[in-house]
Amino acid sequence: MAAQALLHGFSYNPGVRGASNPVSSKGEFAGIESMMPHTLHFILPKSGQYARHGLGAVVAELETELVALETAKPNTSEKPQRVGGGGGGRQRVKARQKSQSTKEPHTPRLEWLKQEGIDLTNECILDADELCSRSASGLLKLQQTIWRINRSISRSSSVTEALGVIEEMKAAGIDSANEGTYLALITVCRRQQQGERALSIYEAMKQAGVKPGMLTYNTLISCCHQAKRLEDAFRIKAEMEAAGMRPDVVTYTALMALVVKTGPYRGRSSPAQRLGKALELYKEMLERSIRPDAITFNTLMFAGAQAKLPGKVLDIYRMMIDAGVTANKFTFGILLESAGSGGRLKAALEVFNEMCAAGVAPQTSTYNFLIEACASAPHPNAEKAWALYEEMKTIDNVSPNGQTYNHLITASCKSGDHAGALRAHELMRDSGFSKAVTSSTFNKLIQSASKSEGLDSAFQVYKKMREAGYKPDVITFGTLVSACGQGKDLARALTVSEEMESLGIKRNQVVQHALIGAYGQAGQWQNAIDIFRMMQQSGEEQPTALSYGMIFDACFGKEGTNVFLNTSEPGKLEITPDVM
């Protein structure tokens, strides 16, 4: 337990997004082949019969990896690197380089331990069994030495450096690796985004008969998160419980994060199903009287946001408040993002007020979420969106960005404020966010222009789009054809369709529906039926209920579907693909 206490400050924080930047594999494994085989023999059981301990596959796999690394390694000497892990890191690197350059047998150089407060004597590097028979004080010195070596391992800047410390430890005759030694290696692997390697170390730890503690188990589950190993994480939890240890809030929160974030990569469950599994773990926590913390609730809310269930996210937030857990900036960020994308404008504004009351400073993303809520609301509110825009310009360290202006364009377009949409587009360009302008931005402006100012205005926006070098897509042409249909301009609709085909863009169902409508507006119902027949025969997108509604309107005039249904004998109408 003393080793765990010394290692308590290691960088372990499950549930928090992001991690330290992984180093490149080229720099990470430079020189590893010279030390790895000996190191593995040290941290694994002291037996030449690896198959007997079930380690044959593990050792073979790592040896294969080393051969591959040797093959890929360029024929250059390793340059000195500045490393962490205390003041002795540079001495260790220089010692290895000097040994390699002179091609002399490796000599243990543990002078760096003196800076850790250890007086190296022959007694403190003897075998533990011999120490027990000679001196209790000598055993204490050995334990102190091991603890400080473990701490130095955990502070290593790379797996290579950590293994180098172990190699020196072994060469000095200190054959007393304990749980802290393994945990230190696992910690370095996790920090370097090498979760798979950490799991291999765990298997070696079990084979050596070293019992993991709670911190080791939780760190391993975090490594499973990195490696996207869902089954292994639950296996480790089961092994923890079998060893008589009770999972804590860190364990359950890490498992929830793994369930929520690993699912998309595996393709095994939907976001809603992953949310359900996370809630099952939360229920199990409560049944075991384990108090959830802010990271727990943030993880659950993130799962609800991924499932696009803003109502559920708000419910989890209420659960958090009822549990007496204080919300933080991550909590409010998830809430506002979920409410914003879900169009919950009223809820988003209430959360914003609670955030300010809690003393959490708003950021640019905060106002972006609020403006997005204005655009996504059932009744879009451009006036409120522009008011929020003006407000955010008065807040310290908050300034509009490209996303802000795109949301303003969307809110203005949906509110029928074409002038506001054009203003937002000009502000975006003049503020230096031209790169945030996309074909989607112009598609919104084309649709807004066609609804507010007519067909000619829509084509003017389309012309500016082409002149600016933006490539139209199927949505662009669908919007233009629909506008032509509403403007009863069949000739332009057909011209747009031909241009679309010349660019190699296939007509999707939206464009086909727009063409059916355009032919219907022009009274050319036979041509509309031809388009409908092509949809039936394409085998790609079969006609939908909307398709039948469009063709009925084209053939029987506006509201033709209702007329047809109202004039049919009740109970006798059967619409199938053979009707047309």
Side-chain angles (χ1 to χ4, degrees):
M1 298 302 295
Q4 285 192 14
L6 285 172
L7 293 166
H8 187 266
F10 295 166
S11 57
Y12 176 64
N13 192 6
V16 177
R17 302 185 197 87
S20 58
N21 294 328
V23 297
S24 66
S25 58
K26 181 177 180 181
E28 173 66 19
F29 296 106
I32 191 173
E33 62 279 358
S34 65
M35 66 182 72
M36 177 71 89
H38 306 290
T39 304
L40 286 173
H41 286 225
F42 171 59
I43 65 175
L44 295 176
K46 299 177 183 178
S47 171
Q49 303 299 322
Y50 292 106
R52 175 183 173 187
H53 296 278
L55 294 174
V58 176
V59 174
E61 180 181 351
L62 288 171
E63 288 179 349
T64 301
E65 180 182 356
L66 292 175
V67 172
L69 288 168
E70 175 65 25
T71 304
K73 180 183 175 184
N75 189 20
T76 56
S77 60
E78 181 179 5
K79 296 181 179 180
Q81 298 179 16
R82 182 175 182 178
V83 294
R90 290 184 291 275
Q91 288 90 328
R92 295 197 302 277
V93 172
K94 292 179 179 178
R96 288 199 299 272
Q97 290 172 340
K98 181 178 180 181
S99 176
Q100 292 173 1
S101 62
T102 59
K103 297 184 178 180
E104 295 178 353
H106 174 75
T107 302
R109 296 181 181 275
L110 295 174
E111 288 82 359
W112 53 274
L113 275 177
K114 293 180 181 179
Q115 300 183 26
E116 296 285 341
I118 292 295
D119 180 18
L120 289 176
T121 65
N122 291 331
E123 186 175 33
C124 79
I125 62 174
L126 291 174
D127 183 80
D129 293 336
E130 187 176 350
L131 274 169
C132 289
S133 63
R134 292 184 56 180
S135 167
S137 63
L139 179 59
L140 178 59
K141 289 180 180 179
L142 174 65
Q143 291 174 339
Q144 292 174 339
T145 303
I146 297 298
W147 292 340
R148 283 161 174 78
I149 290 174
N150 292 345
R151 184 171 61 183
S152 181
I153 293 170
S154 71
R155 292 174 176 176
S156 299
S157 62
S158 69
V159 177
T160 302
E161 183 185 342
L163 292 172
V165 177
I166 293 179
E167 177 70 10
E168 294 181 30
M169 177 181 175
K170 177 182 73 70
I174 308 177
D175 284 0
S176 301
N178 58 16
E179 185 212 354
T181 311
Y182 288 96
L183 176 57
L185 277 172
I186 291 169
T187 301
V188 175
C189 290
R190 189 187 69 83
R191 189 188 307 129
Q192 300 300 324
Q193 302 290 313
Q194 297 182 32
E196 294 276 358
R197 190 177 292 268
L199 294 177
S200 297
I201 294 172
Y202 171 58
E203 293 302 319
M205 181 181 186
K206 292 193 297 182
Q207 299 285 349
V210 178
K211 295 182 179 180
M214 178 63 73
L215 182 58
T216 302
Y217 280 122
N218 285 340
T219 306
L220 284 165
I221 291 175
S222 177
C223 290
C224 289
H225 188 180
Q226 287 182 346
K228 303 180 179 65
R229 300 282 287 270
L230 187 63
E231 295 82 1
D232 284 324
F234 279 94
R235 174 178 60 82
I236 291 170
K237 173 178 175 286
E239 292 176 1
M240 176 196 304
E241 293 172 320
M245 294 189 182
R246 183 171 177 266
D248 59 10
V249 62
V250 175
T251 312
Y252 277 103
T253 302
L255 285 171
M256 289 178 194
L258 182 59
V259 167
V260 172
K261 298 180 181 180
T262 301
Y265 300 96
R266 298 289 184 177
R268 296 178 179 174
S269 58
S270 67
Q273 289 172 327
R274 295 194 293 273
L275 171 61
K277 181 64 176 178
L279 289 172
E280 288 177 9
L281 288 168
Y282 173 73
K283 182 179 179 181
E284 185 178 321
M285 278 183 67
L286 298 183
E287 290 173 350
R288 293 189 171 192
S289 300
I290 299 174
R291 176 181 169 81
D293 60 12
I295 299 176
T296 308
F297 286 109
N298 289 347
T299 303
L300 290 173
M301 284 188 283
F302 177 82
Q306 290 289 303
K308 300 188 184 303
L309 297 172
K312 193 66 178 178
V313 174
L314 291 170
D315 290 340
I316 295 171
Y317 173 61
R318 295 187 190 100
M319 290 163 48
M320 181 180 188
I321 300 304
D322 292 341
V325 178
T326 303
N328 54 32
K329 64 178 182 179
F330 297 109
T331 310
F332 291 115
I334 297 170
L335 282 166
L336 289 171
E337 183 175 8
S338 175
S341 61
R344 300 290 189 94
L345 177 57
K346 181 179 179 181
L349 292 173
E350 291 176 355
V351 169
F352 176 69
N353 291 333
E354 291 183 22
M355 184 187 81
C356 295
V360 178
Q363 301 174 331
T364 297
S365 60
T366 306
Y367 282 96
N368 286 347
F369 294 144
L370 292 171
I371 296 173
E372 183 182 13
C374 295
S376 303
H379 301 287
N381 193 335
E383 183 179 353
K384 183 62 178 178
W386 281 102
L388 289 167
Y389 167 74
E390 295 297 334
E391 179 181 325
M392 75 183 295
K393 293 192 296 182
T394 65
I395 306 297
D396 292 337
N397 301 319
V398 174
S399 58
N401 57 20
Q403 192 175 29
T404 310
Y405 293 113
N406 270 318
H407 289 324
L408 281 172
I409 290 173
T410 303
S412 299
C413 289
K414 289 186 175 181
S415 301
D417 182 11
H418 184 60
L422 292 176
R423 176 191 170 202
H425 178 242
E426 291 175 0
L427 286 171
M428 178 189 293
R429 182 190 57 203
D430 296 341
S431 300
F433 295 106
S434 297
K435 291 183 178 180
V437 178
T438 64
S439 296
S440 176
T441 306
F442 278 103
N443 291 343
K444 295 172 186 176
L445 292 172
I446 291 171
Q447 186 177 33
S448 173
S450 67
K451 290 182 177 180
S452 302
E453 300 185 3
L455 190 58
D456 290 339
S457 178
F459 273 93
Q460 287 177 5
V461 175
Y462 174 66
K463 182 180 178 181
K464 291 181 180 179
M465 175 183 183
R466 297 305 303 269
E467 290 174 347
Y470 292 91
K471 185 178 179 180
D473 54 22
V474 67
I475 299 176
T476 311
F477 290 113
T479 303
L480 286 171
V481 173
S482 297
C484 292
Q486 294 171 0
K488 298 182 179 181
D489 193 335
L490 178 60
R492 270 188 175 180
L494 295 176
T495 300
V496 170
S497 178
E498 291 173 359
E499 182 181 356
M500 178 181 180
E501 293 179 358
S502 68
L503 293 175
I505 301 175
K506 293 182 65 175
R507 295 187 306 197
N508 64 2
Q509 205 166 77
V510 174
V511 176
Q512 290 171 325
H513 287 171
L515 284 172
I516 290 174
Y519 277 121
Q521 289 287 345
Q524 299 184 23
W525 58 269
Q526 186 61 53
N527 290 330
I529 292 178
D530 290 341
I531 297 292
F532 185 84
R533 293 293 189 198
M534 290 172 59
M535 292 176 61
Q536 288 180 309
Q537 297 169 6
S538 66
E540 296 179 0
E541 290 183 300
Q542 288 299 309
T544 63
L546 178 59
S547 305
Y548 284 100
M550 293 295 297
I551 193 62
F552 282 140
D553 282 348
C555 293
F556 301 111
K558 191 175 181 180
E559 303 297 332
T561 304
N562 291 333
V563 173
F564 184 76
L565 292 175
N566 291 334
T567 57
S568 300
E569 184 178 350
K572 297 294 184 180
L573 177 63
E574 181 180 358
I575 300 179
T576 68
D578 297 331
V579 169
M580 299 307 300

